[in-house]
Amino acid sequence: MACANSITVQYFHQKGCHDCEITDPIVDRIETQYKNNTIIISKIETSTVDGFNQWNKYGFLEVPAIVVNNETKLPKEEITEEKLKTLIDEYLVEEENITEYTTEEVTRKEQEIEYINTNLNLPFAYSLGLFAGFSPCLMAILGFLLSFTAGTSNTAKSGMVRATVFGLGLVGSYLLLGLCLLSFRKSIPDLESFSFVTGVIVILIGLNLLGVLKSPVVLDNYFQSSARKYAGTLGGVFFLGILFSFVKVPCTASIPCTA
């Protein structure tokens, strides 16, 4: 089967034709010269029904006749070795230019995809996180954080420090979770398996938040007791920030502030 980029040469001839006997060596030499290129030379006998129909399709009146790439016709009087070589060379150059253009297009698209994947993923992820910060769930966390730090601080400065430490614990736990996911991603062979596993985890978390699926480990009561026990030190506040990242938001309404 001819390749999609190959150049075809149809040579129409007939046995017993004197002019064909002169043209046959020309076609043979062309076939030898271009044997390493994508040139497909078909020698079609017009004495057969199929060969005659193909020859007649191009409107020729005599044989020999040649058609290059199904479009350029050479009747008997125009067939020379030099002209046939020139035609084939022109098509080869054209095919080479098309191939180079296609390769450049593919390379450019790959570079664009790589740019999107590498240069835009981080800003995009950051933007999603920024907008997610205005969700009602995180506003509830912010309300708890402000009331909690205000209730355990003597001055505004102390409250700001404690709020910052609490936030660092919260963010640090999310960063640690992200690194664990990245490490897990690199340990599996393909992205499809990773997507399947993370999809199952997200579904389970969603069912837990809806109350459909109960978690075997309940941290709500533990968080309340820890809040009262460790709220007095900065280290304790940092630990509470880490612990708070694992507690679903509805529990914030039930956690009392400690004075």
Side-chain angles (χ1 to χ4, degrees), residues 208 213-218:
N208 177 255
L213 184 66
K214 298 298 182 181
S215 173
V217 179
V218 181

Side-chain angles (χ1 to χ4, degrees), residues 23 26 30 66 74-86:
T23 308
I26 295 176
I30 291 293
I66 293 176
L74 289 179
K76 179 183 72 174
E77 61 273 8
E78 296 182 17
I79 297 176
T80 63
E81 184 173 350
E82 187 63 31
K83 188 163 188 177
L84 187 54
K85 285 179 61 177
T86 301

Side-chain angles (χ1 to χ4, degrees), residues 162 165 230-242:
R162 297 172 71 83
V165 173
Y230 299 109
T233 63
L234 292 180
V237 172
F238 182 82
F239 169 72
L240 290 177
I242 296 176

Side-chain angles (χ1 to χ4, degrees), residues 26-220:
I26 295 176
V27 176
D28 290 339
R29 287 194 294 270
I30 291 293
E31 189 172 19
T32 302
Q33 290 177 11
Y34 291 94
K35 63 181 180 179
N36 294 328
N37 297 89
T38 54
I39 307 296
I40 307 298
I41 297 180
S42 303
K43 297 179 180 180
I44 303 172
E45 177 64 53
T46 57
S47 59
T48 64
V49 175
D50 183 59
F52 176 81
N53 290 334
Q54 292 186 59
W55 169 80
N56 189 55
K57 179 179 66 175
Y58 292 106
F60 291 119
L61 300 176
E62 298 177 290
V63 290
I66 293 176
V67 178
V68 181
N69 250 21
N70 298 317
E71 57 184 11
T72 304
K73 299 186 290 185
L74 289 179
K76 179 183 72 174
E77 61 273 8
E78 296 182 17
I79 297 176
T80 63
E81 184 173 350
E82 187 63 31
K83 188 163 188 177
L84 187 54
K85 285 179 61 177
T86 301
L87 274 175
I88 292 174
D89 289 339
E90 288 176 354
Y91 275 107
L92 284 174
V93 171
E94 183 179 341
E95 289 292 334
E96 184 178 350
N97 290 337
I98 292 175
T99 302
E100 288 179 357
Y101 175 76
T102 305
T103 303
E104 289 176 357
E105 280 290 301
V106 171
T107 303
R108 183 178 62 82
K109 289 180 180 179
E110 288 178 349
Q111 290 175 345
E112 289 178 353
I113 293 173
E114 183 180 358
Y115 173 79
I116 292 174
N117 289 338
T118 56
N119 292 27
L120 298 183
N121 273 355
L122 289 178
F124 182 68
Y126 177 81
S127 301
L128 290 178
L130 181 64
F131 285 112
F134 296 98
S135 67
C137 295
L138 289 184
M139 289 298 104
I141 291 178
L142 179 61
F144 164 77
L145 179 59
L146 292 176
S147 61
F148 178 79
T149 52
T152 56
S153 304
N154 297 324
T155 62
K157 181 179 179 181
S158 175
M160 290 298 297
V161 171
R162 297 172 71 83
T164 302
V165 173
F166 186 94
L168 289 175
L170 187 67
V171 173
S173 66
Y174 288 140
L175 288 176
L176 181 61
L177 178 62
L179 291 175
C180 290
L181 287 175
L182 181 61
S183 177
F184 174 68
R185 163 66 185 93
K186 291 183 177 180
S187 66
I188 59 178
D190 57 87
L191 186 60
E192 185 176 352
S193 301
F194 176 74
S195 301
F196 176 78
V197 173
T198 53
V200 170
I201 293 175
V202 170
I203 291 173
L204 292 177
I205 293 175
L207 292 175
N208 177 255
L209 291 176
L210 292 173
V212 177
L213 184 66
K214 298 298 182 181
S215 173
V217 179
V218 181
L219 297 178
D220 295 14

